[in-house]
Amino acid sequence: MKLSEHIKIFKRSLQYLFTLSRTHMVCLILGGILQNLIPYVPIYFSARLLDALYEGQPVDRLFVLVLLTVGIVFLLSLTAAWLSSARSQASNEMYRNQHWEQSEKTMQMAYALVEDPDVTLLRSRIAMESQTGYNLWRLVFCTESLVSNLTRIFTSLSLTMSFFFLDAVPLSGKLILTGGILLTTAAVVLTSRKTEELTDRFYSGCVQANVFGSKYASYIGHYSSGKDIRIYDMAEGLLRLCDQENSDINRQRVSLNVKTAVLNTAGQILTHILRFGVYLILIRAALSGGVSVGSIARYVSCIMLLIGAASECCATIQQTFGNSAYMKRYFSYLDIPNPMYQGSLTVEKRDDNEYYVEFRDVSFRYPHTDAYALRHVNLKFKVGEKLAVVGENGSGKTTFIKLLCRLYDPTEGEILLNGVNIRKYDYDEYMSIFSIVFQDFRLFAFRLGENVAAGPKYDQERAARVLRQSGFGERLASMPEGTDSFLYKDFDGSGIEISGGEAQKIALARALYKDAPFLVLDEPTAALDPVSEYEIYSKFNDIAGDKTAIYISHRLASCRFCDNIMVFHKGRIIQKGSHDSLIADAAGKYHELWYAQAQYYTEGTKSS
Ligand code: ADP
């Protein structure tokens, strides 16, 4: 990668850090500067103190110098500690915002891309690289190190600058010292560069091991596989695989440690030779009376700090550049464009909620597949209607909803909203008229209110109201922090764990909070038993009020209360009508499915 590209990526990365949390960055920079100024205060004042002692200055003058040293160090340390604590709080916010932004990207991405195997691979690769320590973590670490080392370089330089103007040190001495500093810095830079290369190679090797390690750990750690592991006695085999992965990593780690120790020792030896040389040159100048005792101490300390900071700075630049390829990949995910046709029409916000939707001869094939998931679908419905979509698994129910809310565009035919092709509407506006709870909905490790509002800002009362409507009220009342409580423990140790049923209620509340004219429930209750699903579905008819509600289920009983039921079979709508009219058609699919399921429930009841 070219230098200009490294710089471009680093610039963008810094901007990105600022957008994630300005407070975090301000604390990182100010805290880094102050923290690194602290060692220079005693160096500077001790030199002044030594000179004052040597010159036999009065005690009160010495006392002022001591007081200044202690006072300034105290103030700097206090401010740095305060900034560091503010930073650690802001850092939580930063990682949370990052998580949110990535999720938002995934949510806003054209859905075809979310399901695309290349995009999925890119996403999981980025996740693994982040877990190994690249991307954001490395970026923060490098930025902090750059701030620290640049502060040390500038301060050391400003405190040693006067050395080069001393008459007592001959030009040859100054040249030798400058050469020595440059040589030592170059040697330390080379050794640290080699160390970095080795460390980088080690960590990039770890990405792969982490992929396997986390898979094995998830097999072992997840309760759903616990039964199989015990019954089929798989524990030993899995542990052996984990152990093999760990011992490979450990072996590589030991070899890395030995190599870096050798390299660091070489750098250290050179630094100490230089220190010796600096002492000699300065003592010689002091003997001729041209340099004070205090200045000798100051110059030696500052030159050593300068060399250390310069070499660390170079190592950090190396590490930052090493992270560029990872940051590039990270940004490439955030930059994935949306290939769907972007219309610009505004969706008329109708107070009367008079929307109607029409599917006109719609057929659809998923990308990279030949078989049609939907075939010649024709239907019309308007807001306020309660519509049920039933059919066996794989009959095309979810695909129908994906097309309705434009997660995909039809392969053939068109979908119209109030007579206009939905592709012509502004995508975000069109999406804003749908609230959908999918079967595989996701909740995030954010605050409960943030989950309900699907964003960082939420109206507490409104969130609590919809949570109560969706049946989560009792649990909410038992939570001391109410809607401000964190879900799960990823970001907050006091986060709450919720059951599958409670998660479903929160997902339903999220759909209600959005208050969109279309409310779609795509079997979010599939994990519940049929009776509980029926209860939730029938209750939702009241909650849905004058909205259009579309209920999807492969369990016919859950949807029987709907006036308008559509039966899907192999991607086609094969029957439409009310429960009574459909059941009356003894030759129809609905009749067949109804009795097949009724028999199943009856047998289930008998056996229980
Ligand atoms: P249902 O919701 O009725 O269970 P779906 O709409 O999920 O059915 O699926 C309809 C058909 O489309 C099925 O044959 C299924 O295998 C296929 N299908 C669903 N999702 C995808 C996808 N992302 N890629 C390819 N085929 C898919």
Side-chain angles (χ1 to χ4, degrees), residues 244-426:
Q244 192 179 329
E245 232 21 272
N246 283 339
S247 37
D248 281 353
I249 294 254
N250 278 343
R251 222 180 0 263
Q252 289 171 32
R253 158 78 70 194
V254 169
S255 144
L256 172 75
N257 286 349
V258 172
K259 286 179 189 156
T260 51
V262 171
L263 286 167
N264 286 341
T265 312
Q268 285 296 319
I269 291 172
L270 266 175
T271 314
H272 282 86
I273 293 175
L274 179 75
R275 185 189 288 259
F276 185 65
V278 177
Y279 269 120
L280 284 185
I281 292 169
L282 287 171
I283 287 170
R284 195 157 164 255
L287 287 177
S288 67
V291 188
S292 68
V293 186
S295 301
I296 295 179
R298 192 180 82 204
Y299 289 138
V300 174
S301 308
C302 286
I303 288 173
M304 291 306 128
L305 283 173
L306 175 65
I307 291 170
S311 54
E312 268 186 44
C313 195
C314 292
T316 306
I317 292 173
Q318 181 81 16
Q319 287 183 334
T320 311
F321 286 178
N323 197 32
S324 295
Y326 298 92
M327 284 310 298
K328 190 176 173 186
R329 195 160 23 247
Y330 182 86
F331 287 135
S332 73
Y333 183 73
L334 295 184
D335 293 342
I336 290 175
N338 194 338
M340 285 184 98
Y341 177 82
Q342 300 293 310
S344 55
L345 278 185
T346 48
V347 175
E348 214 182 331
K349 293 272 179 301
R350 304 184 63 129
D351 291 338
D352 57 1
N353 259 357
E354 273 299 309
Y355 297 96
Y356 67 93
V357 172
E358 181 180 355
F359 272 58
R360 205 177 275 171
D361 201 21
V362 170
S363 296
F364 177 72
R365 256 184 302 139
Y366 280 97
H368 317 297
T369 60
D370 294 329
Y372 277 88
L374 285 186
R375 254 331 209 174
H376 304 296
V377 172
N378 284 291
L379 90 139
K380 271 186 190 175
F381 59 91
K382 60 179 212 183
V383 158
E385 288 182 345
K386 308 285 182 261
L387 197 72
V389 178
V390 300
E392 289 163 315
N393 283 333
S395 57
K397 303 185 295 295
T398 299
T399 308
F400 165 72
I401 296 301
K402 284 178 181 169
L403 259 60
L404 170 66
C405 61
R406 236 200 127 197
L407 292 179
Y408 287 96
D409 283 331
T411 315
E412 290 156 28
E414 55 179 357
I415 304 169
L416 310 163
L417 171 73
N418 294 353
V420 177
N421 190 319
I422 59 171
R423 283 159 57 95
K424 296 197 177 143
Y425 290 107
D426 173 90

Side-chain angles (χ1 to χ4, degrees), residues 15 19 30 39 63 82 123 134 181 205-206 245-246 295 319 335 349 441 449 452 473:
Q15 283 166 349
T19 55
L30 282 183
F63 184 68
W82 179 78
R123 199 171 45 238
Y134 289 106
I181 292 176
C206 285
E245 232 21 272
N246 283 339
S295 301
Q319 287 183 334
D335 293 342
K349 293 272 179 301
F441 64 87
V452 172

